[in-house]
C-alpha cells in the first residue's frame, strides 16, 4: 500500500513568517501534486512536479520534488492571511492507473 | 482550465433514503472519473474509480452496493448513496481526467443525513 506522510498536520503562524510543509513516502511516485482547498470547496491544483530534484515557484510558494521522487516540500515565504487553507499533497504511483494518493493534509492558519 | 461541476452542492435527507450526486465534465471528455469522500479537517479518501462504460473499481472497505456508481457517458458520472444513514454524512468530491491523466476536481457535495 502506498502511503504519503504529510507534516505538520496543523500550523498556526503570524503574518510574515515562513513555513515549510513536508510530504514523504517510501514509494517512488511518477508525479506529485500540491493542492489547496478552501472550506466547502474542492481542491485546486497548485503545481505538479515530475522530475526528481525539480523546483517550481509560484509567487511566494516554492515546491520541490526529492531526487529519488519519494518526497516533496512546499515552502511559503512571508505568509499572508490569504494563504490560510488546507494544503494537500497527492502522488501518482506508477502502475496504479492514475489514482491519486493523498497525504493527510496540512491546515494552515495565518493570523494578521 | 478544465471545469468539473457537481450537483447538488448540498443535500439533506432522512435516514433510509437514497441520494444521487452528479459529476459532470463541462468542457472535456473524461475517460476516468474518481469519487472521494472527506470528513471535517481530514484529507480526501478515494472511494472508487470509474471508467466510461464499465463497472467501477472500489477501494478496499467501500461497499459497492451502498455506493452505486454509474459512468454512462464521457461527461457524466453519478454516485448514489443507498439507504443513507447519519454516518454517511460527509463531503463527497468527484474528479475527472482525460487521456493526460491530470485530475480536475469538482466543488464537492455536502451530504447530511438526519
Amino acid at each position: 500500500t502506498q502511503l504519503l506522510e504529510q507534516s505538520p498536520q496543523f500550523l498556526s503562524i503570524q503574518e510574515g513568517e515562513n513555513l515549510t510543509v513536508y510530504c514523504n513516502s517510501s514509494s517512488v511516485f511518477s508525479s506529485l501534486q500540491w493542492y489547496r482547498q478552501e472550506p466547502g470547496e474542492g481542491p485546486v491544483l497548485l503545481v505538479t512536479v515530475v522530475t526528481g530534484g525539480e523546483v517550481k515557484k509560484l509567487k511566494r510558494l516554492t515546491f520541490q520534488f526529492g531526487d529519488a521522487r519519494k518526497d516533496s516540500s512546499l515552502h511559503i515565504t512571508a505568509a499572508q492571511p490569504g494563504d490560510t487553507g488546507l494544503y494537500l499533497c497527492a502522488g501518482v504511483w506508477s502502475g496504479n492507473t492514475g489514482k491519486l494518493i493523498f497525504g493527510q493534509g496540512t491546515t494552515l492558519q495565518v493570523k494578521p | 482550465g478544465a471545469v468539473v461541476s457537481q450537483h447538488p452542492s448540498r443535500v439533506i435527507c432522512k435516514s433510509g433514503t437514497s441520494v444521487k450526486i452528479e459529476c459532470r465534465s463541462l468542457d472535456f471528455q473524461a475517460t476516468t472519473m474518481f469519487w472521494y469522500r472527506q470528513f471535517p479537517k481530514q484529507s480526501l479518501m478515494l472511494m472508487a474509480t470509474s471508467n466510461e462504460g464499465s463497472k467501477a473499481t472500489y477501494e478496499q472497505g467501500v461497499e459497492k452496493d451502498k455506493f452505486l456508481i454509474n459512468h454512462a457517458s464521457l461527461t457524466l458520472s453519478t454516485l448514489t448513496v443507498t439507504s443513507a444513514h447519519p454516518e454517511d454524512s460527509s463531503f463527497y468530491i468527484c474528479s475527472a481526467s482525460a487521456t493526460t491523466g491530470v485530475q480536475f476536481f469538482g466543488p464537492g457535495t455536502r451530504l447530511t443525513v438526519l
Side-chain angles (χ1 to χ4, degrees), chain A residues 35-38 41-45 88 102, chain B residues 38 44 93 105-106:
Chain A
Y35 293 85
R36 179 166 169 241
Q37 185 182 22
E38 300 278 1
E41 299 180 10
V44 175
L45 179 66
L88 297 156
F102 278 86
Chain B
Q38 184 179 32
L44 280 69
I93 305 173
F105 285 83

Side-chain angles (χ1 to χ4, degrees), chain A residues 35 37 40-43 86 88 98-100 102-105, chain B residues 34 36 38 42-44 46 49 59 91 93 103 105-107:
Chain A
Y35 293 85
Q37 185 182 22
E41 299 180 10
L86 177 65
L88 297 156
K99 288 196 301 186
L100 276 175
F102 278 86
Q104 297 95 327
Chain B
F34 302 84
Y36 299 82
Q38 184 179 32
Q42 293 187 22
S43 188
L44 280 69
L46 180 64
T49 303
E59 293 299 298
F91 193 51
I93 305 173
Q103 290 188 33
F105 285 83

Side-chain angles (χ1 to χ4, degrees), chain A residues 51-104:
Chain A
T51 305
E54 185 176 4
V55 177
K56 285 191 173 180
K57 291 192 175 185
L58 186 64
K59 295 184 180 179
R60 293 176 293 100
L61 278 60
T62 302
F63 305 86
Q64 188 163 5
F65 202 17
D67 291 340
R69 306 209 316 271
K70 292 183 178 181
D71 58 275
S72 182
S73 64
L74 157 61
H75 182 80
I76 301 180
T77 304
Q80 299 176 0
D83 296 328
T84 294
L86 177 65
Y87 290 82
L88 297 156
C89 63
V92 177
W93 163 55
S94 54
N96 71 341
T97 65
K99 288 196 301 186
L100 276 175
I101 300 168
F102 278 86
Q104 297 95 327

Side-chain angles (χ1 to χ4, degrees), chain B residues 19-95:
Chain B
V19 174
K20 180 184 285 188
I21 302 170
E22 292 185 350
C23 177
R24 293 181 185 272
S25 56
L26 299 184
D27 50 3
F28 68 102
Q29 292 187 324
T31 51
T32 306
M33 287 186 170
F34 302 84
W35 286 95
Y36 299 82
R37 66 187 297 181
Q38 184 179 32
F39 293 106
K41 298 191 185 300
Q42 293 187 22
S43 188
L44 280 69
M45 291 182 58
L46 180 64
M47 298 174 66
T49 303
S50 75
N51 293 291
E52 184 263 339
S54 59
K55 289 184 179 180
T57 302
Y58 291 81
E59 293 299 298
Q60 191 173 8
V62 178
E63 299 175 57
K64 62 179 181 180
D65 295 329
K66 172 109 181 129
F67 299 99
L68 300 178
I69 292 172
N70 185 280
H71 192 163
S73 75
L74 285 172
T75 59
L76 173 64
S77 176
T78 60
L79 167 68
T80 301
V81 183
T82 62
S83 186
H85 291 285
E87 58 266 29
D88 298 323
S89 297
S90 189
F91 193 51
Y92 291 87
I93 305 173
C94 73
S95 71

